[in-house]
Structure formats: structure tokens, C-alpha cells
Amino acid sequence: RGAVGLEPWTIDQAPPQAGRLAVVTGANIGLGLETAKALAGAGCAVVLACRNPAKAEAAKAQILAQHPKASVECMALDLSSLRSVRSFAQTFAQRHQRLDLLINNAGIMMPPYALSEDGFESQLAANYLGHFALTGLLLPLLTATPGARIVSLSSLAHKWSPIQFDDLQFKKGYDKRLAYGQSKLACLMFAYELQRRLSQAGHDTVSVAAHPGVSATNLFQHLPKVVQVFAPLTSLVFQSAEGGAQPSLYAALGTDIQGGDYCGPHAMGEMRGHPIKVGSNRRSRDTATAAKLWTVSEDLSGVRYLSA
């Protein structure tokens, strides 16, 4: 699982990517930057979809320093704003006629309570609903591109919380851990449900999910100071951002990947190691809940999926 022959999967096993186009959300830092860097190195043209234009340009310079011949474009995208998501999708469709890879990577982890401009709990907005809307708006381009893939980033935290339909936005009392878990469960259920709908509609576009294990990235900025004190020791347990990006890259480029696959690290309870196909909990595979979540997500985002 996750290996061609007996060798662990690496990007060197991926087919040539020349002529293909990828969008990576949150590509200016951490997992997103490492994912974009690797895709550019493999020959993909890459669009860095980022909230902060200055940071996106800095990331672009970093990628080009490593891969001078790469095609790298920066586009503004704030996933916590449906207005920004719609603007990005419209501009992208005007500039490009294809989309081979959509890596729904961007995310925030356990911040203080806040609502987005659309009135959504911040983690549900940025991690899930923004990506749900973005994928729906870009789907016509994806389904028109042979062999396109959509990779949704989940987390080991998908096991932390159910989908709380009676209080999706945590207005009755905020638990940042449960809210993060809910957002990551939603991402995983979306990946599975999207694959079911793509298959039913007869598309060859593939929807898959990945999680990075436990990676030492900027996501930890909102954790308690007492935890941050031990940050220098995290490399003993956590893997680097480059290591954490491997499951996403495997999901995006692995030749044995099929729709509905979920990829993560192989060792230490999926916390680190080379990428393989992994399982997920029963809750994440509940098709009735997934269908309900889909309907609610269309209502909240205002984005209707026509071709899936």
C-alpha cells in the first residue's frame, strides 16, 4: 500500500507533469509551500492561491530559486470569504482553460473564536466551506480536463468531533478542538461524497483525501504557550513540512491512486513516515450524514454543484 513494488512512494515515481496545471491553496507556507515546490519541480505549472499577496510572492521567489524553469503564478484567495472565493474562480477561469490538480490544502488550527464575514465559525469557513465552494466553482474546468484530481486535506483530528448540525457554528459554546475536528471531518466526508457524485455522473475526475500526520508547521501558533516551549523537541516526534506534504503529493500523483482513497504517513499511528493509503473512522464514511452535509454546504455557500 503506497509503494510501487517494495519501495516507499516518492515523487520520483510520478509520471512527467509537463503541460499540467495545479492550484495549491495556502501555498505560501508550510505544507502548501512544500507541495507547490514539489509539483513545480516535477514539471507542473503551479498557481499559488494565497490570502497574503506579499507572502505569495516570497513563496514564488523561493520556488523559482530552487526550480528556475518552473511556471509559478500567484493569485489572491481568502478561503474565509465567499466573495474572495468567487472572485478567484472567475479570474482563474478567464486565464486558464484547464485544471489538472486542485490541492485544497489551506487551513487554520484551533484559533480563538471568530466568525467569518459570512457568519461562519472561522475553522469551518477556512478549512471546509471555502474549499467546498472553490471546488464547486472550478469543477467545470476539472471535469473538462482528462485525469484531473481533487485532493482534500483532512487530519487525524477528523476523529475528534461529529458534524454538529444543531450548532455548526459553535454559537452555543466554543470548543476550538471540537471545531477543528468538525472542519477536518467535513473535509474528509466531502472528498468521499464528491467521489461518489463524480462516479455517478460518469466523470473520470478523481476526488481523494490526504492527511500530513503531525507536522511541525505554523498551524501550531494558537496552541498554549506551555506546548510551544517544547517546540524545539517536536522534530523528534513530528515530521517536517516537507515530510507532511508527501501524502498530498502521493494522493495527487501516485499512479495507483483511485477515487475515494485516503493517504497518510505509515508510522507511529500515522503521525510520520512515508505515504501510504490509510483508513478512516466509521463516522467519516456515513453516506447519509455526508449527503446531509452536502445539502447544508450548498445552502450555506450558495454554490450548487451542477456536473457532480
Side-chain angles (χ1 to χ4, degrees), residues 9-22 34-46 63 66-72 101 246 249-250 252-254:
W9 187 88
T10 68
I11 197 165
D12 297 333
Q13 296 171 29
Q17 297 298 304
R20 303 187 85 215
L21 177 63
E34 295 301 331
T35 301
K37 199 183 290 180
L39 290 173
C44 255
V46 182
I63 294 170
Q66 205 167 322
H67 306 291
K69 294 180 180 175
S71 169
V72 186
L101 295 171
Q246 298 309 304
L249 291 165
Y250 174 45
L253 303 179

Side-chain angles (χ1 to χ4, degrees), residues 149 195 206-209 251 254-263 277:
R149 286 188 199 179
Q195 179 57 44
V206 164
S207 170
V208 292
T255 53
D256 62 332
I257 295 293
Q258 297 177 317
D261 280 346
Y262 184 33
C263 304
K277 297 179 186 183

